[in-house]
Amino acid sequence: EPDAQIAASASIGPFVHIGRGTRIGDGAIIGAGCAIGDRVEIGAGTHLHPRVVVYHQCLLGARVIVHSGAVIGADGFGLAREEGRWLKIPQIGRVVIGDDVEIGANTTIDRGALEDTVIGEGVKLDNQSQVAHNVHIGDHSAMAGCVGIAGSARIGRNCTVGGAGII
């Protein structure tokens, strides 16, 4: 979009969409086919590999690495039952990712329902993991492939979760 602010030293691949009011920092690399929503902030030195999707208003810190196929900021599984039917609850929080985080291929991190989903500084998430709405992961935690974290879970600093672990 015309009002996106992209640092002169950033690299933008082919077939990328960058939404209104988005800011991309110095030395950031945005791979081919990425879709970045409105009012997103991407820090200096962050690298989005091809085909990453970042929904509106998400914040990614400096030196974040996001591998192909990851989706950051999709709606969480927010539903309420009314008169025998499931109704969607608006998901108005964001995803806030600290500095030096790495997110594996095809990992999904849902936006918060009312508050933000927060991934702390230095967190490492392996491939095909799911982080649900309102989750907080403390600084320097690491999670192996296929970890699933249910909504509103709180994980402390320096925690390690083995492959296919479910929280």
Side-chain angles (χ1 to χ4, degrees), residues 72-91:
I72 298 170
D75 284 352
F77 194 61
L79 302 169
R81 198 145 173 89
E82 183 177 290
E83 298 178 11
R85 300 174 66 176
W86 290 106
L87 301 176
K88 184 173 182 61
I89 298 171
Q91 306 289 286

Side-chain angles (χ1 to χ4, degrees), residues 8 24 31 39 71 134 145 166:
I24 298 178
R39 297 177 307 285
V71 176
N134 302 336
I166 301 295

Side-chain angles (χ1 to χ4, degrees), residues 14-166:
F15 305 110
V16 170
H17 174 78
I18 299 173
R20 293 183 324 245
T22 289
R23 296 187 303 194
I24 298 178
D26 289 329
I29 300 169
I30 310 300
C34 287
I36 301 171
D38 295 341
R39 297 177 307 285
V40 170
E41 293 184 27
I42 296 177
T46 289
H47 185 171
L48 304 185
H49 287 273
R51 296 178 318 281
V52 168
V53 175
V54 181
Y55 281 65
H56 63 283
Q57 297 179 316
C58 292
L59 308 177
L60 282 68
R63 300 171 305 281
V64 173
I65 300 169
V66 184
H67 292 280
S68 293
V71 176
I72 298 170
D75 284 352
F77 194 61
L79 302 169
R81 198 145 173 89
E82 183 177 290
E83 298 178 11
R85 300 174 66 176
W86 290 106
L87 301 176
K88 184 173 182 61
I89 298 171
Q91 306 289 286
I92 60 173
R94 306 171 298 173
V95 174
V96 177
I97 297 174
D99 296 341
D100 302 306
V101 169
E102 185 163 358
I103 299 167
N106 297 316
T107 289
T108 57
I109 303 173
D110 293 341
R111 68 188 321 101
L114 297 174
E115 62 181 77
D116 295 336
T117 298
V118 178
I119 310 299
E121 178 180 312
V123 168
K124 309 302 181 195
L125 300 175
D126 197 1
N127 299 334
Q128 299 178 343
S129 293
Q130 158 64 18
V131 178
H133 65 281
N134 302 336
V135 167
H136 287 227
I137 300 175
D139 296 349
H140 306 291
S141 291
M143 301 182 186
C146 298
V147 164
I149 305 170
S152 300
R154 297 293 191 264
I155 298 168
R157 296 171 50 97
N158 300 305
C159 293
T160 303
V161 179
I166 301 295

